[in-house]
């Protein structure tokens, strides 16, 4: 049975042409869906733009701090790239065999059912997505105002207002047109990659001149404790996160069976090589004490090497944040859209704009959640709560690949991996779940509590039949659906898709 579509128009301005158009829309309601506008190049930009965030510019010191030597840190960066490639390859099989947007949520739903998928969605809604986006927006704002306040802390209110403007502008862009969002992503991704190529070129030039004093004994003083090496690897893997971005928009990709694998195959080596060469450039120019004490490594690097052009780096860091936030907004809005379509969130969030083919209510909901988290003074602290949840659900989605191999052996799989890859990744994911429990027990347990708070929400809002749910929830759902309709003069604006 097709999902109901809603009309909210000004009755006084309806015309015969408008009524005819609405009748036509009703006849084609079952065909209503978002357009397949994401190309191979857009896919590469989304992955690269999300993976290469502000971290490589601001603070790549976590790996170096725990590994305690340049040589071992580069080995850790390489291992992190290989491990992330394993996960990305698993997502290629999942994304081409389960042609749904929503990423790990869609895969967990297919493999393990509604309850586990809802807990994953609940964790993203409450902590993972809004916290990540708020932190990126604040980092963007800090680098925008840094030239105005070079020797002091920028005003708190100014930073939060600029961060809010950043979130609102990107939400608006993505509401208007999918192509606008992908063009922003393409342009800003090119800019950040060019800036990193500049950093790499300076490092290679220094090496060519023989300025390699910092690299003469690269493994001297390397950490030997398994715990320290594990934390170094954990830091590297967190920097590689974002390789699953394209799986959140699978339904909007042109020829996903071809372009999804190609996008991942192109993006992963690019990011791994850029990370390795950028760190080598940092190590050639800056000694270990400077790297470990700098609040913004790329800015320090620019001050040492770029002379009067050092102003480029703060601008590029801001552009990198803008690109990373854009890709995160695109992915998160599709997650909420798919969750609503599956009945796990209010149905109003599954509406799409009938002219622009964008999930406007889901985008606005995502933007509102992120703006609310800007009101939290120490929003950076909230990141510590979700590390456990993040790796748990990524590992669980790949465990779903193994499970589906046995429960649905005849399912069409355009790409079929050896089970070696998902098994290795699941074992390593188990390690990544254990590490935060060991190193940051309290915050990890708070993250677990946030995830478990989804149990009563699932029972009241999903499990119970509609007539038995609390009246306040039914009222809220109706109000949200009414508020998400857009008033217009002659056309239907939003419609659900089944």
């Amino acid at each position: 049975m097709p999902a109901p579509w809603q009309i909210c128009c000004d009755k006084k301005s309806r015309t015969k042409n408008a009524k005819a158009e609405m009748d036509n829309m009703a006849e084609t309601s079952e065909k209503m869906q978002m357009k397949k506008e994401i190309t191979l190049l857009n896919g590469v930009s989304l992955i690269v733009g999300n993976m290469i965030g502000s971290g490589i510019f601001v603070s790549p010191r976590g790996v170096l701090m725990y590994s305690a030597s340049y040589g071992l840190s580069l080995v850790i960066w390489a291992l992190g790239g290989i491990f992330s490639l394993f996960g990305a390859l698993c997502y290629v099989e999942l994304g081409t065999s389960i042609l749904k947007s929503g990423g790990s949520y869609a895969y967990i739903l297919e493999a393990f059912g509604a309850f586990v998928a809802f807990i994953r969605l609940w964790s993203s809604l409450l902590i993972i997505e809004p916290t990540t986006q708020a932190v990126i927006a604040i980092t963007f704002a800090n680098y925008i105002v840094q030239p105005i306040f070079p020797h002091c802390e920028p005003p708190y209110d100014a930073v939060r207002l600029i961060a809010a403007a950043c979130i609102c502008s990107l939400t608006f862009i993505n509401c208007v047109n999918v192509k606008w969002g992908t063009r922003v992503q393409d342009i800003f991704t090119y800019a950040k990659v060019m800036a990193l190529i500049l950093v790499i070129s300076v490092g290679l030039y220094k090496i060519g001149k023989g300025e390699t004093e910092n690299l003469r004994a690269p493994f001297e003083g390397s950490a030997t404790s398994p715990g320290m090496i594990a934390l170094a690897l954990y830091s590297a893997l967190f920097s590689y996160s974002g390789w699953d971005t394209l799986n959140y928009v699978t339904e909007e990709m042109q020829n996903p069976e071809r372009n999804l694998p190609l996008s991942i195959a192109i993006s992963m080596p690019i990011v791994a090589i850029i990370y390795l060469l950028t760190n080598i450039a940092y190590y050639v120019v800056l000694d270990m004490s400077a790297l470990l004490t700098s609040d913004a490594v790329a800015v320090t690097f620019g001050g040492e090497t770029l002379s009067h052009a050092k102003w480029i780096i703060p601008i590029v860091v801001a552009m990198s944040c803008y690109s990373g936030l854009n890709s995160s907004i695109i992915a998160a809005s599709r997650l909420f859209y798919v969750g609503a379509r599956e009945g796990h969130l209010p149905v109003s969030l599954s509406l799409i704009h009938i002219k622009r083919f964008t999930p406007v209510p889901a985008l606005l909901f995502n933007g509102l959640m992120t703006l609310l988290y800007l009101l939290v003074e120490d929003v950076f602290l909230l990141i510590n709560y979700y590390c456990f949840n993040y790796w748990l659900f990524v590992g669980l989605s790949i465990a779903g690949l193994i499970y589906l191999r046995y429960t649905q052996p005849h399912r069409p799989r355009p790409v079929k991996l050896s089970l070696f890859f998902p098994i290795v990744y699941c074992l390593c994911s188990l390690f990544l779940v254990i590490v935060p429990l060991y190193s940051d027990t309290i915050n990890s347990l708070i993250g677990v509590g946030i995830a478990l708070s989804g149990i009563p929400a699932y029972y009241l809002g999903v499990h119970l039949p509609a007539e038995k749910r609390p009246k306040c929830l039914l009222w809220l759902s109706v109000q949200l659906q009414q508020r998400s309709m857009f008033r217009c003069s002659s056309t239907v604006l939003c419609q659900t898709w089944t």
Side-chain angles (χ1 to χ4, degrees):
M1 180 178 179
W5 54 288
Q6 307 287 339
I7 305 171
C8 193
C9 300
D10 185 352
K11 293 181 181 179
K12 294 182 180 180
S13 62
R14 288 184 182 175
T15 64
K16 292 182 179 180
N17 290 336
K19 291 180 179 179
E21 184 178 355
M22 287 187 284
D23 289 340
N24 183 56
M25 294 299 178
E27 291 174 4
T28 60
S29 64
E30 292 186 9
K31 299 179 182 178
M32 186 66 189
Q33 57 183 313
M34 286 186 282
K35 290 183 177 179
K36 293 182 177 292
E37 294 188 315
I38 297 177
T39 64
L40 173 62
L41 185 60
N42 297 148
V44 172
S45 295
L46 279 169
I47 297 173
V48 173
N50 203 7
M51 290 183 71
I52 303 177
S54 60
I56 192 65
F57 294 98
V58 178
S59 184
R61 61 188 176 186
V63 178
L64 182 61
M65 179 172 63
Y66 292 118
S67 60
S69 73
Y70 290 149
L72 183 58
S73 69
L74 292 175
V75 171
I76 296 293
W77 278 108
L79 289 174
I82 293 169
F83 175 74
S84 299
L85 178 61
F86 276 35
L89 289 174
C90 294
Y91 265 48
V92 166
E93 178 175 328
L94 286 167
T96 53
S97 60
I98 303 172
L99 293 174
K100 292 182 180 180
S101 296
S104 60
Y105 166 77
Y107 309 145
I108 292 172
L109 179 66
E110 187 75 18
F112 303 115
F115 174 70
V116 181
F118 179 86
I119 297 300
R120 189 263 179 266
L121 180 65
W122 184 258
S123 298
S124 292
L125 185 151
L126 278 191
I127 192 75
I128 297 176
E129 301 298 345
T131 299
T132 301
Q133 292 172 31
V135 166
I136 296 173
I138 291 169
T139 305
F140 166 84
N142 277 321
Y143 276 87
I144 287 293
V145 302
Q146 186 185 45
I148 305 173
F149 303 95
H151 304 299
C152 63
E153 191 77 16
Y156 176 88
D157 291 339
V159 170
R160 297 299 166 122
L161 286 172
I162 292 172
C166 174
I167 294 163
C168 292
S169 66
L170 285 173
T171 300
F172 171 77
I173 288 169
N174 283 284
C175 283
V176 171
N177 197 310
V178 173
K179 276 293 182 186
W180 286 21
T182 55
R183 282 173 187 154
V184 166
Q185 190 66 30
D186 292 346
I187 293 168
F188 282 81
T189 298
Y190 300 153
K192 77 167 83 175
V193 170
M194 292 302 296
L196 287 171
I197 289 174
L198 173 63
V199 170
I200 291 167
S201 299
V202 171
L204 294 177
Y205 173 74
K206 295 282 187 181
I207 292 173
K209 288 179 63 178
E211 298 181 19
T212 57
E213 291 84 359
N214 294 340
L215 302 180
R216 285 179 181 170
F219 289 93
E220 184 178 349
S222 295
T224 56
S225 165
M228 296 298 285
I229 294 173
L231 290 171
L233 181 59
Y234 187 83
S235 297
L237 290 172
F238 203 81
S239 297
Y240 278 105
S241 62
W243 45 260
D244 58 346
T245 303
L246 203 56
N247 294 73
Y248 285 88
V249 294
T250 306
E251 294 169 14
E252 297 170 71
M253 289 190 68
Q254 298 174 1
N255 193 4
E257 291 90 347
R258 171 185 177 271
N259 288 340
L260 178 62
L262 278 177
S263 297
I264 289 174
I266 294 169
S267 304
M268 295 302 296
I270 288 175
V271 174
I273 291 169
I274 285 176
Y275 275 179
L276 284 169
L277 293 180
T278 301
N279 277 286
I280 289 172
Y282 290 156
Y283 297 165
V284 168
V285 173
L286 304 172
D287 59 30
M288 189 171 294
S289 61
L291 282 163
L292 295 178
T293 57
S294 174
D295 290 327
V297 173
V299 174
T300 305
F301 178 92
E304 293 286 336
T305 59
L306 299 180
S307 185
H308 297 297
K310 63 184 179 181
W311 56 269
I312 294 174
I313 299 298
I315 293 175
V316 171
V317 175
M319 293 177 72
S320 180
C321 292
Y322 202 72
S323 167
L325 181 59
N326 183 61
S327 60
S328 182
I329 286 173
I330 291 173
S333 62
R334 272 54 175 187
L335 172 62
F336 300 145
Y337 163 75
V338 174
R341 197 175 69 191
E342 298 292 339
H344 289 170
L345 290 175
V347 69
S348 56
L349 299 183
S350 68
L351 299 174
I352 60 176
H353 198 289
I354 204 165
K355 292 288 188 182
R356 305 187 185 280
F357 298 93
T358 55
V360 175
L363 282 160
L364 294 177
F365 174 75
N366 176 75
L368 177 62
M369 288 293 294
T370 306
L371 290 173
L372 288 175
Y373 274 65
L374 287 181
L375 301 176
V376 179
E377 185 169 353
D378 193 5
V379 69
F380 288 84
L381 179 64
L382 299 179
I383 289 182
N384 299 326
Y385 299 156
Y386 76 72
C387 294
F388 175 89
N389 294 349
Y390 177 83
W391 292 112
L392 173 64
F393 290 117
V394 170
L396 195 60
S397 64
I398 292 179
L401 184 155
I402 302 171
Y403 180 75
L404 290 173
R405 284 283 190 91
Y406 291 100
T407 58
Q408 301 179 20
H410 302 298
R411 187 187 191 100
R413 292 178 172 86
V415 177
K416 190 172 182 178
L417 294 176
S418 164
L419 284 177
F420 168 79
F421 293 99
I423 289 172
V424 169
Y425 194 91
C426 285
L427 291 174
C428 292
S429 295
L430 182 62
F431 154 77
L432 291 172
V433 168
I434 293 172
V435 166
L437 282 174
Y438 163 76
S439 61
D440 196 7
T441 306
I442 299 299
N443 287 329
S444 296
L445 291 177
I446 293 173
V448 172
I450 291 171
L452 293 179
S453 70
I455 295 175
Y458 176 81
Y459 178 76
L460 294 174
V462 179
H463 179 73
L464 285 178
E467 62 274 10
K468 293 185 178 180
R469 293 173 189 170
K471 291 182 179 180
C472 60
L473 289 181
L474 295 176
W475 178 86
L476 180 61
S477 179
V478 170
Q479 293 301 312
L480 286 173
Q481 191 163 350
Q482 290 177 350
R483 297 296 184 273
S484 64
M485 297 299 108
F486 294 85
R487 293 193 176 275
C488 59
S489 60
S490 62
T491 59
V492 183
L493 280 186
C494 291
Q495 182 172 340
T496 57
W497 174 71
T498 53

